């Protein structure tokens, strides 16, 4: 991919022009700022978001070119669907290019603006106050662009998954699409509310720049809007934590596979020992016939050889069945541990970044509304502290997610053999530099990672005998695999199927891909 050209906008943003005009007026009136470094930083903040957003547009536009071939002979419905998918893909990539900018704004620029605003209010420095407002306008504009784009993308995803859920009606494909439709629909609603809150924040900062008489009213409205949205996100995180906790408990209730299957393994071991004794007795009989004389000796030897051969086969089959069961117990233990770890990780992320981070931001919004009649948010240490704490918690979780995703993308191409499907030739390992480049492609999802591998393992344990690689699974182990699927919210009731139809779907090779996708989604969700 060629490096995108960063074009310089011909028109400077209104907030930056206003800030520059205020600096000129300050120099003419003989009132220079007390700390030039602060104003230099504010100027950089005010323009950085706009330049980065322009670059993001160019990258998304470059990535969208040539992404789908033109087909003039295709039916009108197919062309319309292809056109809609191309728009959705372009918007999704544009949103992911904006996410790093949005993270910087929320975690760095907005708290810094709050600090400068407090300092300006304490020192009665009108110039610094207006510069901070200009930077705040730029920050809120960047947030609004990201939030509005995400709202459109979530809405399109929700609509697409709703159609997929209606098309499948039942089964794994229906449940996966239906759950995604609900999640994306909720994201769209919250995104629309967030867009309104950022619009109110822009209005608040603009009134500060213009020294409007209704600045207090705008500040109060902005505080109420931001508090409401943050509270809504916090409540959603609480529900997610509850769902993950319930799923964790259900998986834990399945028990230790080594203890659960101890009795069945003992029976298989006993069968193996009996088969070995039968084989030994058959060879003893064969040896006795070899030592006998008389008529019919060869016929007796032939029968003894057949009996010994059959006994050896039974002993071999019994040993292989026991070894397969022992391996399956280890696999079940591994996937259950992974499922519990994923739910604990989700509980931690949602608690820190959602329940705590967003509730702290909601408290900061309340302070904004209460203090609107005086100096507004961050004109007091309480508001500034809440804003910084909330932004810090959310930023920390976001950086953790980004680092984890980058590590997984690196491993995906650097060591493709680690999580490659069994029986499939892994792709050629990429070099270290190529792997690092792939890791930085934050807009790409991991398609062959640990979660997908664990989903394949769970499906192999629960699937029927007609699925390749699952024919030797014992009935007890298959029941445990099915119980794990039910604990992961992928059972018959979730798929709108009776138990027999649900079991039959697990034994249908045509539904293997849908099942693996469903299990991977349930491992990641609460």
């Amino acid at each position: 991919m060629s490096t995108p050209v960063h074009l310089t906008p011909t028109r400077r943003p209104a907030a930056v022009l206003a800030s520059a005009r205020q600096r000129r007026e300050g120099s003419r009136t003989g009132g220079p700022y007390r700390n030039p470094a602060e104003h230099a930083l504010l100027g950089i903040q005010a323009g950085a978001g706009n330049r980065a957003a322009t670059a993001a547009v160019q990258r998304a536009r470059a990535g969208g070119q040539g992404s789908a071939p033109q087909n003039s002979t295709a039916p009108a419905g197919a062309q319309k669907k292809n056109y809609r998918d191309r728009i959705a893909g372009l918007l999704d990539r544009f949103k992911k290019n904006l996410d790093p900018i949005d993270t910087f704004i929320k975690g760095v620029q907005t708290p810094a603006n709050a600090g400068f605003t407090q300092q300006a209010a304490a020192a009665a420095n009108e110039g610094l106050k207006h510069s901070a407002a200009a930077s705040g306008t730029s920050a809120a504009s960047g947030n609004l662009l990201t939030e509005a784009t995400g709202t459109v993308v979530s809405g399109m995803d929700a609509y697409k998954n709703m159609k997929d859920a209606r098309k499948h009606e039942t089964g794994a494909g229906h449940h996966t699409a239906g759950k995604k439709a609900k999640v994306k629909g909720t994201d769209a609603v919250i995104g629309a509310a967030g867009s309104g809150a950022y619009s109110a924040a822009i209005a608040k900062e603009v009134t500060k720049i213009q020294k409007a008489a209704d600045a207090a009213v705008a500040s109060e409205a902005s505080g109420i809007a931001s508090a409401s949205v943050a509270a809504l996100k916090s409540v959603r995180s609480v529900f997610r934590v509850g769902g993950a906790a319930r799923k964790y408990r259900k998986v834990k209730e399945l028990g230790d596979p080594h203890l659960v299957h101890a009795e069945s393994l003992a029976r298989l071991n006993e069968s193996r020992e009996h088969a070995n004794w039968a084989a030994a007795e058959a060879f003893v009989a064969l040896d006795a016939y070899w030592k006998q004389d008389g008529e019919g000796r060869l016929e007796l030897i032939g029968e003894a050889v057949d009996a010994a051969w059959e006994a050896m086969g039974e002993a071999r089959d019994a040993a292989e069945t026991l070894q397969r069961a022992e391996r399956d117990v280890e696999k079940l233990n591994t996937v259950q541990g992974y499922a519990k770890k994923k739910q604990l990780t989700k509980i931690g992320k949602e608690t820190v970044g959602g329940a705590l981070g967003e509730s702290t931001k909601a408290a900061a919004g309340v302070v904004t509304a209460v203090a609107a009649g005086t100096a507004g948010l961050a004109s007091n240490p309480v508001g500034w502290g809440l804003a910084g704490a909330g932004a810090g918690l959310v930023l920390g979780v976001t950086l953790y997610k980004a680092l984890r995703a980058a590590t997984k993308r690196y491993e995906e191409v650097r060591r493709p053999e680690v999580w490659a499907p069994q029986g499939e030739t892994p792709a050629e390992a990429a070099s270290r530099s190529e792997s690092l480049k792939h890791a930085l492609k934050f807009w790409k999802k991991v398609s062959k990672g640990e979660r997908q591998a664990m989903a394949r393992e769970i499906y192999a344990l629960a699937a029927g005998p007609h699925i390749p690689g699952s024919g030797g699974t014992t009935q007890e182990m298959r029941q445990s695999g099915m119980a794990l699927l039910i604990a992961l919210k992928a059972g018959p009731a979730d798929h709108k199927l009776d138990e027999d139809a649900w079991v039959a779907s697990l034994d249908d090779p045509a539904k293997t891909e849908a099942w693996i996708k469903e299990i991977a989604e349930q491992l990641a969700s609460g």
Side-chain angles (χ1 to χ4, degrees), residues 335 338 449-462 484-485 488 512-523:
V335 295
Y338 179 81
E450 183 179 14
R451 180 158 58 94
Q452 289 75 17
M454 292 298 167
R456 291 192 296 269
E457 294 288 1
I458 295 173
Y459 177 69
L461 292 172
L484 179 56
L485 289 179
L488 293 174
T512 296
E513 185 178 351
W515 260 112
I516 293 175
K517 182 180 179 181
E518 159 81 339
I519 298 170
E521 290 289 338
Q522 295 308 316
L523 284 171

Side-chain angles (χ1 to χ4, degrees), residues 38 88 106 135 153 162 174 188 227 262 301 313 334 359 396 489 491 494 522:
E38 295 174 352
K106 291 178 179 178
S135 181
V153 172
M162 284 177 59
H174 167 80
I301 290 175
T334 300
S359 60
K489 298 183 180 179
D494 301 297
Q522 295 308 316

Side-chain angles (χ1 to χ4, degrees), residues 440-524:
L440 295 176
K441 295 178 179 179
F442 50 83
W443 58 88
K444 288 191 175 182
K445 294 183 178 180
V446 178
S447 59
K448 294 181 180 180
E450 183 179 14
R451 180 158 58 94
Q452 289 75 17
M454 292 298 167
R456 291 192 296 269
E457 294 288 1
I458 295 173
Y459 177 69
L461 292 172
H466 294 96
I467 303 302
S470 299
T473 305
T474 63
Q475 187 60 29
E476 292 88 350
M477 186 59 61
R478 188 166 287 128
Q479 291 294 333
S480 292
M482 292 179 183
L484 179 56
L485 289 179
I486 295 174
L488 293 174
K489 298 183 180 179
D494 301 297
H495 291 180
K496 295 184 178 180
L497 294 171
D498 57 47
E499 187 173 351
D500 292 338
W502 181 73
V503 173
S505 70
L506 283 166
D507 199 22
D508 187 353
K511 298 180 180 179
T512 296
E513 185 178 351
W515 260 112
I516 293 175
K517 182 180 179 181
E518 159 81 339
I519 298 170
E521 290 289 338
Q522 295 308 316
L523 284 171

Side-chain angles (χ1 to χ4, degrees), residues 7-37:
L7 301 177
T8 302
T10 57
R11 296 183 60 186
R12 301 176 64 187
V16 179
L17 293 175
S19 177
R21 184 168 58 251
Q22 291 158 6
R23 287 194 293 270
R24 290 195 300 269
E25 291 174 355
S27 61
R28 285 197 300 267
T29 56
Y33 300 150
R34 299 191 327 185
N35 190 345

Side-chain angles (χ1 to χ4, degrees), residues 166-522:
R166 287 196 297 266
K167 180 178 70 175
H168 292 291
E169 295 184 353
T170 59
H174 167 80
H175 186 242
T176 303
K179 188 167 186 178
K180 274 192 172 182
K182 292 179 181 178
V183 171
K184 293 298 181 180
T186 303
D187 290 343
V189 172
I190 294 178
S195 299
Y198 288 128
S199 299
I202 293 174
K204 178 188 70 174
E205 300 297 341
V206 169
T207 56
K208 289 182 181 179
I209 295 174
Q210 298 177 349
K211 298 182 181 181
D214 55 353
V217 176
S219 183
E220 184 177 2
S222 176
I224 294 173
S226 62
S228 301
V229 173
L232 188 61
K233 291 181 179 180
S234 179
V235 171
R236 180 181 61 172
S237 293
V238 170
F239 278 107
R240 287 179 172 177
V241 169
R246 287 190 295 272
K247 186 177 286 188
Y248 173 83
R249 286 196 299 269
K250 289 182 179 179
V251 175
K252 189 176 181 179
E253 288 171 358
L254 297 177
D256 185 350
H258 296 95
L259 299 178
V260 173
H261 291 276
E263 185 177 348
S264 63
L265 290 177
R267 289 198 306 269
L268 292 175
N269 185 55
E270 186 178 354
S271 299
R272 179 185 63 85
E273 291 178 352
H274 285 311
N276 287 337
W277 277 111
E281 292 173 353
F283 275 98
V284 170
L286 175 61
D287 185 63
Y289 288 135
W290 274 108
K291 296 177 181 179
Q292 291 182 3
D293 294 326
E295 296 181 1
R297 173 176 176 270
L298 294 178
E299 182 178 352
L300 292 174
I301 290 175
E303 292 177 354
V305 169
D306 291 340
W309 184 262
E310 183 178 355
M312 285 180 59
E314 291 178 355
R316 183 181 62 252
D317 292 343
E320 290 178 352
T321 301
L322 177 60
Q323 291 176 357
R324 171 65 184 266
E326 289 175 341
R327 290 196 300 268
D328 285 346
V329 167
E330 292 298 330
K331 288 182 181 179
L332 182 61
N333 183 63
T334 300
V335 295
Q336 283 188 194
Y338 179 81
K340 289 187 289 186
K341 183 187 72 173
K342 289 293 290 184
Q343 299 311 310
L344 289 176
T345 302
K346 188 173 186 65
I347 290 172
K349 290 188 295 187
E350 291 293 340
T351 300
V352 175
L356 295 179
E358 294 297 339
S359 60
T360 305
K361 291 170 64 177
V366 172
V367 173
T368 305
V370 172
T374 56
L377 176 66
S379 61
N380 56 82
V382 176
W384 185 24
L386 289 173
L393 291 172
V394 176
L395 178 62
V397 173
T398 302
L399 292 178
Y400 170 79
K401 290 180 179 179
L403 181 60
R404 287 282 296 167
T407 303
K408 292 177 182 179
R409 285 192 296 270
Y410 178 88
E411 294 292 335
E412 180 182 23
V413 296
R414 181 61 175 168
R415 300 179 180 86
E417 73 282 356
V418 175
W419 306 118
Q422 187 176 5
E424 178 180 307
T425 302
E428 184 178 354
S431 64
R432 186 182 299 274
S433 60
E434 291 175 344
S435 300
L436 288 173
K437 290 179 181 178
H438 184 74
L440 295 176
K441 295 178 179 179
F442 50 83
W443 58 88
K444 288 191 175 182
K445 294 183 178 180
V446 178
S447 59
K448 294 181 180 180
E450 183 179 14
R451 180 158 58 94
Q452 289 75 17
M454 292 298 167
R456 291 192 296 269
E457 294 288 1
I458 295 173
Y459 177 69
L461 292 172
H466 294 96
I467 303 302
S470 299
T473 305
T474 63
Q475 187 60 29
E476 292 88 350
M477 186 59 61
R478 188 166 287 128
Q479 291 294 333
S480 292
M482 292 179 183
L484 179 56
L485 289 179
I486 295 174
L488 293 174
K489 298 183 180 179
D494 301 297
H495 291 180
K496 295 184 178 180
L497 294 171
D498 57 47
E499 187 173 351
D500 292 338
W502 181 73
V503 173
S505 70
L506 283 166
D507 199 22
D508 187 353
K511 298 180 180 179
T512 296
E513 185 178 351
W515 260 112
I516 293 175
K517 182 180 179 181
E518 159 81 339
I519 298 170
E521 290 289 338
Q522 295 308 316

